[in-house]
Amino acid sequence: MVTPTLMDPKLFSETGALVRPAAVFRSFISRDPNSNFPAEAGRYHLYVSYACPWASRCLAFLNLKGLGKAISFTIVKSVYERTKDTDDHKGWVFPASISEEDGAQPDPLYGAKTIRELYELASTNYTGRFSVPVLWDKKLKTIVNNESSEIIRMFNSEFNEIADNPDLDLYPLQLRAQIDEINEWIYNDINNGAYKCGFAQKQGPYDEAVTNLFNGLDKCEEILSKERYLCGDTLTEADIRLFKTLIRFDAVYAVHFKCSKKTIREYPNLFNYTKELYQIPGITSSVNMEHIRKHYYISHTGINPFGIIAASPDLDFSSPHDRDRFTK
Ligand SMILES: N[C@@H](CCC(=O)N[C@@H](CS)C(=O)NCC(=O)O)C(=O)O
């Protein structure tokens, strides 16, 4: 059986709207040493793509929390390739050597050629998507979790005894309700909203998605005109989640996904906020614009059949931003 990708017709409702399937591996790593998956240095490995907004937010958390020594990671190649000779599935693959593509690395654990192989190693009867991120347990040789919203929570709170940056809390108790509420509409209207625009198969669902997307961005612009971050003066998980969409927006989503009403650089607060977040070192190193641009324009053959990579706008996210104006 060939596992679906986002281009698969089964992932669309009868109205032609994209319906993103839920991740399958949902175990939790815990700080409790007696749990099934205790937080231990050297035990877990993160497989990610720089191109994928969901996977690369895990990498940002790993960097920000200072977990680089405790949790190893590997970056896949930017563009989907055939994953088996015997069927037509295309998905994430590893390079054969470190020199094949800048930023991508061979699988150091099993010499796997594809992410699919890892799913098949973890489960013999798996029928879901072969998606990244994959949080792998080297000891039990299995996937702990492949849902980024849960992986970032584990990185935030469960590894503090071995993290270099244990005091950074991106999901603080007093802001949890507010973060959850913001995440909900930002995910639906903006993070996944851009995908709903890009993969819509009928005009109606596209029109609805693009309206909701720009209403959502207008709402963020309004919040960020009054506050430094989405939840006030504290950087939180909600900001990292929004950032991963904003950094892709002008170079990819505006063109490739037809998110064309406005660019992020036309929103003064959103643009300066994107620059501020980009300039935080753990976030900078989670962004690779080459992988991002190549992935979307070349891998999504259903919406860009000739694989032409659109010219990049002239954007410098390293240039000065104005967000210090909120410093008290
Ligand atoms: N629920 C997942 C979604 C991850 C996801 O959709 N990843 C995409 C890349 S952006 C993927 O790996 N797709 C491969 C496929 O569909 O075959 C998460 O947030 O972790």
Side-chain angles (χ1 to χ4, degrees):
M1 185 209 160
V2 183
T3 298
T5 70
L6 273 188
M7 294 310 297
D8 193 303
K10 288 189 288 302
L11 302 186
F12 295 88
S13 71
E14 277 167 22
T15 64
L18 170 70
V19 184
R20 187 179 287 275
V24 170
F25 294 93
R26 307 295 284 268
S27 298
F28 265 81
I29 295 174
S30 163
R31 70 192 91 158
D32 174 359
N34 297 316
S35 66
N36 287 345
F37 297 100
E40 286 168 12
R43 174 161 171 176
Y44 302 99
H45 191 83
L46 180 69
Y47 291 100
V48 288
S49 154
Y50 277 131
C52 169
W54 327 105
S56 75
R57 67 194 187 187
C58 299
L59 187 56
F61 266 70
L62 186 148
N63 293 337
L64 289 167
K65 287 291 295 185
L67 287 170
K69 292 201 285 288
I71 303 172
S72 47
F73 65 88
T74 300
I75 317 272
V76 294
K77 282 176 72 173
S78 60
V79 175
Y80 289 161
E81 289 178 20
R82 290 273 301 276
T83 57
K84 257 188 194 162
D85 292 338
T86 45
D87 62 45
D88 292 334
H89 177 264
K90 284 187 169 179
W92 301 111
V93 299
F94 298 96
S97 75
I98 196 81
S99 53
E100 195 173 313
E101 180 178 12
D102 249 10
Q105 301 111 21
D107 172 28
L109 302 185
Y110 311 102
K113 293 192 171 51
T114 67
I115 286 287
R116 178 178 184 172
E117 275 179 54
L118 299 170
Y119 277 87
E120 291 174 346
L121 196 60
S123 161
T124 46
N125 53 4
Y126 180 73
T127 56
R129 298 158 62 215
F130 304 122
S131 58
V132 289
V134 168
L135 183 57
W136 185 267
D137 179 358
K138 299 184 210 174
K139 186 166 169 194
L140 300 181
K141 285 208 174 93
T142 195
I143 298 174
V144 182
N145 194 298
N146 66 339
E147 171 48 49
S148 61
S149 58
E150 297 177 351
I151 295 173
I152 61 177
R153 295 268 167 97
M154 296 175 217
F155 286 0
N156 183 59
S157 60
E158 301 308 304
F159 288 87
N160 282 339
E161 283 193 17
I162 47 180
D164 287 342
N165 205 0
D167 295 332
L168 175 71
D169 186 0
L170 293 160
Y171 189 53
L173 205 53
Q174 71 282 11
L175 294 176
R176 285 187 186 175
Q178 197 186 348
I179 294 171
D180 290 344
E181 194 264 321
I182 289 176
N183 281 348
E184 174 80 13
W185 60 263
I186 290 195
Y187 174 78
N188 286 320
D189 296 344
I190 302 180
N191 303 138
N192 201 32
Y195 280 79
K196 289 184 203 162
C197 295
F199 286 106
Q201 296 186 328
K202 292 203 172 121
Q203 191 67 45
Y206 166 76
D207 290 343
E208 189 184 330
V210 84
T211 302
N212 293 340
L213 169 64
F214 283 93
N215 286 343
L217 290 174
D218 290 347
K219 190 166 160 184
C220 292
E221 174 71 8
E222 170 71 17
I223 297 171
L224 297 169
S225 70
K226 301 195 184 87
E227 308 270 13
R228 186 159 189 163
Y229 305 110
L230 289 169
C231 296
D233 54 13
T234 313
L235 178 80
T236 70
E237 172 195 289
D239 298 297
I240 318 284
R241 292 173 47 131
L242 174 61
F243 168 81
K244 288 293 176 185
T245 297
L246 300 179
I247 194 75
R248 286 161 174 71
F249 205 94
D250 290 6
V252 177
Y253 296 166
V255 182
H256 183 64
F257 281 171
K258 306 185 188 77
C259 301
S260 43
K261 238 177 117 177
K262 255 171 110 166
T263 58
I264 296 304
R265 59 194 185 279
E266 290 171 83
Y267 286 103
N269 290 288
L270 276 174
F271 187 41
N272 277 283
Y273 164 89
T274 307
K275 288 200 237 177
E276 184 196 355
L277 265 75
Y278 176 78
Q279 290 169 28
I280 298 171
I283 299 185
T284 320
S285 56
S286 75
V287 176
N288 182 318
M289 287 311 288
E290 280 312 296
H291 278 229
I292 291 172
R293 292 174 59 245
K294 273 166 69 184
H295 170 70
Y296 284 91
Y297 288 113
I298 304 179
S299 298
H300 297 160
T301 50
I303 54 177
N304 192 29
F306 297 111
I308 305 293
I309 304 175
S312 191
D314 195 8
L315 295 173
D316 181 5
F317 293 106
S318 311
S319 64
H321 62 79
D322 67 3
R323 304 300 290 169
D324 290 327
R325 72 181 200 267
F326 292 101
T327 311
K328 286 180 196 116

